């Protein structure tokens, strides 16, 4: 019986993977045929539009999905195409938050996966490379937004001229606290500490603004540090701030970030959690202000699973899944007391969050409930949202009216998480399903182990490899420590100069290879 059950399971997952691939290529090819070089496809009129800054955004966002689906040749073609066509020196006002998570995140991820895609790698990859330089170029355009007295960034920046003098100082909490993954990755790969420093400064400034009961609102004036919107919750305007504290703590092995999150989590559980739903409350008093569930909150069970809080994660997921079953999708807002959609918030823009949580919880529990959600999502999207030209945002889940928009996150996140849900042996989960072993080597002379599992997904589902950060930053530090030790140990006569010997840098951390009897060994001893 077990054998039959497992065989059926394999057949159904293989069928699902094929259907998800078909979904991806229907949308992706429609974008290329009808919308490129615009940011997004308009699936009802079969044309394109610029939405977030005219970067051919859907292509940047979908690039790592191509590799994850196993399409190396198209990944290589698009990576080269983007290097030739995308220019960040443009007079465009861009969202600092969206540009970071979609463009910087997408380029960093593609850079770190380039080895698996069979691209020609520069010597020293992953600490250098053309896609890394593009990511750095894009991030540099965002830095003027962080030049404020508080260190909290403006929400919008002009890529050519910096922050407009008329720019509003009011931005959402997530817009202040969602940079540490991409910016620390950039700093540690390139050796330029600027990016990580500004991201940390913004996080620390935001931390200091929490209320006496330990909560943050969802919109803040970054100059006066006054809370403009005082609703506290885990959804829109706040969500990825909490996500980045947890994922930043894991990726950077950073206790400060984890301490921040755990303190927030205590307040969230105390004041906003009712019956395994999370409501919105007034940040100073803890009184309920909005008894709604927002579709963006559906990332929370997955995040809780990363911290090992499985029991509550599973129960909250079941609440959210019951809403999905009611409508065949998650409405943007759902009234918990009324058990129905909220006026003017009945849409479903093909968001990924519930599927993302299903992927994490399936990895954590092996419970096939999560695969069932995946099949439901596949059926729903095919039945409700498919058009001859792609997949359209659902304007109203009650009557399935469509909107003329396909957000780039559909290919970056929704399809990717669906695929990874049904492929537990994928290399991103630490398996070796690509058939090439599940790790690579990198660094100056191939001394780093990369890609051996434990990837961290940014909030746009772009996977980042913590081993690459270690490879580029720790080894540079090791080299310096070793040089310092050597130079101090070589007595120089007055006026004499000695060049330090060339050193190699093995895999182990510096602490564990420093020697016998206090001597330091180099290559030529």
């Amino acid at each position: 019986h077990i054998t039959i059950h497992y065989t059926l399971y394999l057949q159904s997952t293989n069928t699902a993977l094929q259907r998800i691939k078909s979904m991806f290529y229907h949308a992706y090819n429609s974008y290329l045929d009808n919308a490129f070089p615009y940011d997004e496809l308009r699936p009802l009129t079969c044309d394109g539009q610029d939405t977030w800054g005219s970067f051919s955004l859907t292509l940047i966002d979908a690039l790592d999905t191509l590799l994850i689906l196993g399409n190396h040749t198209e990944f290589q073609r698009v990576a080269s195409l983007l290097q030739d066509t995308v220019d960040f020196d443009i007079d465009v006002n861009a969202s600092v938050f969206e540009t970071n998570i979609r463009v910087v995140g997408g380029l960093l991820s593609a850079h770190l996966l380039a080895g698996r895609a069979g691209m020609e790698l520069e010597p020293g990859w992953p600490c250098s490379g053309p896609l890394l330089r593009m990511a750095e170029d894009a991030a540099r355009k965002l830095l003027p937004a962080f030049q404020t007295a508080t260190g909290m960034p403006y929400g919008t920046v002009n890529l050519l001229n910096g922050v407009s003098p008329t720019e509003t100082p009011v931005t959402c909490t997530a817009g202040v606290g969602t940079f540490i993954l991409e910016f620390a990755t950039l700093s540690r790969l390139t050796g330029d500490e600027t990016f990580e420093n500004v991201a940390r400064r913004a996080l620390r400034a935001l931390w200091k603004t929490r209320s006496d009961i330990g909560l943050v609102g969802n919109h803040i004036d970054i100059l006066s540090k006054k809370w403009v919107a005082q609703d506290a919750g885990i959804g829109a305007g706040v969500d990825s701030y909490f996500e980045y504290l947890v994922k930043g703590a894991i990726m950077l092995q950073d206790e400060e970030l984890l301490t921040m999150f755990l303190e927030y989590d205590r307040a969230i559980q105390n004041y906003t959690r009712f019956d395994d739903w999370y409501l919105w409350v007034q940040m100073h008093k803890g009184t309920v202000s909005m008894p709604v569930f927002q579709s963006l909150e559906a990332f929370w069970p997955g995040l809780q699973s990363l911290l090992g809080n499985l029991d509550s994660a599973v129960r909250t997921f079941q609440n959210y899944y019951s809403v999905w079953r009611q409508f065949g999708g998650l409405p943007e807002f759902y009234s918990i007391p009324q058990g129905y959609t909220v006026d003017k918030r009945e849409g479903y823009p093909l968001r990924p969050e519930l599927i993302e949580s299903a992927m994490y919880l399936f990895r954590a529990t092996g419970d096939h409930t999560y695969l069932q959600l995946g099949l439901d999502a596949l059926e729903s999207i095919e039945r409700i949202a498919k058009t001859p030209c792609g997949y359209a945002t659902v304007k109203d889940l009650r009557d399935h009216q469509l909107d003329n928009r396909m957000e780039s996150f559909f290919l970056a996140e929704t399809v990717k998480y669906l695929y990874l849900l049904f492929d537990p042996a994928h290399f991103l989960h630490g398996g070796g399903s690509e058939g090439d072993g599940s790790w690579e080597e990198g660094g100056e002379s191939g001394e780093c182990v990369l890609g051996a599992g434990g990837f961290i997904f940014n909030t746009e589902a772009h996977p980042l490899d913590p081993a690459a950060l270690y490879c580029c930053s720790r080894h540079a530090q090791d080299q310096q420590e070793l040089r310092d030790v050597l130079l101090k140990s070589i007595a120089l006569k007055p006026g004499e100069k000695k060049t330090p010997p060339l050193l190699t840098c093995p895999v182990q951390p510096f602490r564990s290879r420093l020697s016998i009897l206090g001597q330091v060994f180099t290559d030529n001893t």
Side-chain angles (χ1 to χ4, degrees):
H1 284 308
I2 291 168
T3 311
I4 292 166
H5 182 72
Y6 188 65
T7 309
L8 289 172
Y9 160 67
L10 284 180
Q11 285 170 348
S12 65
T13 53
N14 286 338
T15 309
L17 288 172
Q18 287 315 311
R19 289 178 65 193
I20 296 160
K21 276 189 176 177
S22 301
M23 177 185 275
F24 175 83
Y25 286 113
H26 175 61
Y28 177 78
N29 292 332
S30 295
Y31 168 78
L32 284 184
D33 295 343
N34 301 295
F36 178 77
Y38 290 103
D39 279 342
E40 288 178 4
L41 171 71
R42 298 205 306 169
L44 302 183
T45 46
C46 291
D47 55 10
Q49 65 179 348
D50 279 336
T51 49
W52 293 113
S54 70
F55 311 118
S56 305
L57 183 64
T58 295
L59 212 49
I60 293 176
D61 237 356
L63 182 52
D64 56 16
T65 312
L66 283 166
L67 177 76
I68 287 161
L69 268 50
N71 192 339
H72 294 191
T73 49
E74 181 64 0
F75 178 96
Q76 291 176 20
R77 184 188 79 82
V78 171
S80 303
L81 176 69
L82 290 171
Q83 288 167 49
D84 295 338
T85 58
V86 174
D87 181 11
F88 298 116
D89 276 319
I90 46 176
D91 186 4
V92 161
N93 294 324
S95 159
V96 180
F97 169 84
E98 299 290 354
T99 306
N100 176 55
I101 66 171
R102 302 189 198 214
V103 177
V104 179
L107 291 168
L108 282 173
S109 173
H111 162 72
L112 291 171
L113 294 171
R116 285 188 181 271
M119 288 192 76
E120 207 170 303
L121 301 174
E122 283 184 10
W125 175 90
C127 314
S128 68
L131 293 169
L132 177 60
R133 286 189 286 278
M134 278 183 79
E136 185 181 1
D137 190 20
R140 217 165 271 294
K141 297 288 186 185
L142 306 180
L143 288 178
F146 289 83
Q147 288 165 8
T148 61
T150 62
M152 293 192 269
Y154 283 98
T156 306
V157 70
N158 183 287
L159 299 182
L160 207 55
N161 306 313
V163 178
S164 158
T166 58
E167 179 59 35
T168 172
V170 176
T171 188
C172 68
T173 308
V176 175
T178 308
F179 295 93
I180 191 68
L181 288 184
E182 298 82 3
F183 277 28
T185 298
L186 263 179
S187 282
R188 297 192 185 198
L189 295 184
T190 63
D192 182 343
E193 292 174 2
T194 309
F195 300 103
E196 184 171 343
N197 288 345
V198 300
R200 281 189 185 278
R201 188 170 170 235
L203 282 176
R204 286 171 183 149
L206 195 51
W207 172 243
K208 287 185 186 140
T209 65
R210 68 197 187 284
S211 71
D212 292 344
I213 59 173
L215 294 170
V216 284
N218 66 42
H219 277 79
I220 191 169
D221 182 317
I222 59 150
L223 301 182
S224 68
K225 300 191 266 193
K226 293 267 189 311
W227 284 101
V228 176
Q230 300 191 355
D231 293 308
I234 57 169
V238 191
D239 49 1
S240 51
Y241 170 41
F242 295 140
E243 180 186 357
Y244 273 40
L245 290 178
V246 173
K247 290 180 174 178
I250 296 168
M251 186 169 86
L252 306 170
Q253 297 293 293
D254 190 299
E255 282 184 44
E256 181 188 8
L257 301 181
L258 188 59
T259 303
M260 286 178 184
F261 177 79
L262 292 174
E263 193 158 322
Y264 279 133
D265 195 36
R266 273 194 292 278
I268 289 163
Q269 302 300 334
N270 272 343
Y271 293 101
T272 78
R273 180 176 160 192
F274 294 88
D275 232 358
D276 299 304
W277 295 96
Y278 291 84
L279 312 183
W280 289 81
V281 303
Q282 211 285 340
M283 67 178 282
H284 297 289
K285 302 187 196 114
T287 49
V288 175
S289 57
M290 288 192 295
V292 297
F293 157 59
Q294 301 178 345
S295 63
L296 282 169
E297 297 168 14
F299 82 100
W300 188 257
L303 191 70
Q304 289 284 318
S305 81
L306 286 177
L307 293 157
N309 301 333
L310 273 181
D311 291 346
S312 74
V314 166
R315 291 195 299 271
T316 299
F317 182 91
Q318 287 302 340
N319 283 344
Y320 298 170
Y321 187 14
S322 70
V323 179
W324 180 287
R325 285 195 297 263
Q326 188 178 345
F327 296 101
L330 288 185
E332 291 287 71
F333 283 31
Y334 176 83
S335 166
I336 297 163
Q338 292 169 331
Y340 208 63
T341 57
V342 173
D343 193 38
K344 300 198 171 47
R345 291 283 192 274
E346 304 90 352
Y348 171 56
L350 311 182
R351 289 199 189 279
E353 283 78 11
L354 192 65
I355 301 162
E356 173 188 354
S357 279
M359 180 196 80
Y360 282 110
L361 287 169
F362 181 56
R363 299 278 303 145
T365 66
D367 184 338
H368 286 205
T369 305
Y370 304 107
L371 296 181
Q372 187 57 54
L373 176 271
L375 292 175
D376 289 355
L378 197 50
E379 296 291 344
S380 269
I381 294 168
E382 286 287 346
R383 193 175 71 252
I384 302 173
K386 191 172 187 179
T387 73
C389 254
Y391 293 86
T393 288
V394 181
K395 188 178 187 173
D396 192 328
L397 276 167
R398 298 167 305 174
D399 59 11
H400 300 166
Q401 287 178 63
L402 298 179
D403 242 341
N404 196 14
R405 188 166 183 197
M406 186 179 85
E407 289 246 27
S408 71
F409 60 62
F410 177 64
L411 295 180
E413 299 187 77
T414 310
V415 174
K416 184 186 289 154
Y417 282 134
L418 257 181
Y419 191 83
L420 291 171
L421 168 63
F422 285 101
D423 189 1
H426 198 279
F427 76 81
L428 283 177
H429 296 314
S433 67
E434 297 272 288
D436 57 354
S438 61
W439 65 280
E440 307 165 89
E441 59 180 43
E444 289 292 323
S445 50
E447 75 278 11
C448 294
V449 173
L450 301 174
F455 287 84
I456 302 288
F457 291 89
N458 89 335
T459 196
E460 190 79 1
H462 295 306
L464 302 170
D465 184 358
L469 279 64
Y470 174 82
C471 176
C472 300
S473 63
R474 183 66 220 177
H475 285 5
Q477 204 177 326
D478 287 352
Q479 293 264 14
Q480 193 54 51
E481 284 178 26
L482 200 43
R483 278 194 201 101
D484 291 347
V485 170
L486 281 162
L487 288 173
K488 279 175 193 156
S489 67
I490 299 167
L492 295 180
K493 291 174 188 154
E496 184 187 355
K497 285 186 178 172
K498 266 198 178 174
T499 52
L502 289 169
L503 307 171
T504 61
C505 211
V507 177
Q508 319 91 283
F510 182 72
R511 297 167 292 290
S512 62
R513 57 169 201 273
L514 218 174
S515 81
I516 299 168
L517 302 177
Q519 295 166 295
V520 175
F521 292 96
T522 61
D523 269 7
N524 51 7
T525 52

